[in-house]
Amino acid sequence: MPMAAAATPLPDLPSFPTLPRKRMPAGRPREWYESHNRRLKAMRLAVALLNSGVYRAEQAPNRRIRTTAARIGVRPPSDTTCRMVRSLIRHDSR
């Protein structure tokens, strides 16, 4: 019977300087702000996963994405945001 490989723990993620935050443009519908913030969160999580060695979408189940979110200080993402993260790190076999 084959043994399951133990998952390697995430290394300490480096912190990089970020750009100064800008105010959001006023007058947009609420849905625009929600989708904008969801995309930003997905990008932050995708970068953190790539830095930790996750290079394929198959390596990023919801649990791993949420664990990474906790490590970088981001609120747990929804299932929709997790799907978005996987689409950002998708790897085509070309």
Side-chain angles (χ1 to χ4, degrees):
M1 182 158 67
M3 293 182 62
T8 58
L10 292 175
D12 288 333
L13 300 174
S15 73
F16 297 104
T18 59
L19 296 173
R21 296 185 77 166
K22 294 182 182 179
R23 292 180 55 93
M24 299 286 282
R28 305 265 174 127
R30 180 176 178 82
E31 294 79 25
W32 184 89
Y33 298 104
E34 290 171 355
S35 67
H36 177 75
N37 288 330
R38 185 184 307 274
R39 288 190 302 267
L40 289 177
K41 184 178 199 174
M43 285 189 283
R44 283 193 300 270
L45 288 167
V47 168
L49 286 164
L50 289 168
N51 285 337
S52 69
V54 175
Y55 300 113
R56 297 181 62 99
E58 303 85 41
Q59 297 173 313
N62 290 359
R63 184 175 179 169
R64 187 166 201 176
I65 294 170
R66 289 185 176 119
T67 301
T68 302
R71 295 208 50 188
I72 65 172
V74 175
R75 289 177 55 106
S78 65
D79 291 344
T80 302
T81 304
C82 289
R83 280 193 303 275
M84 193 177 287
V85 170
R86 281 189 291 277
S87 73
L88 289 170
I89 62 174
R90 183 184 71 222
H91 180 72
D92 293 328
S93 58
R94 289 190 259 166

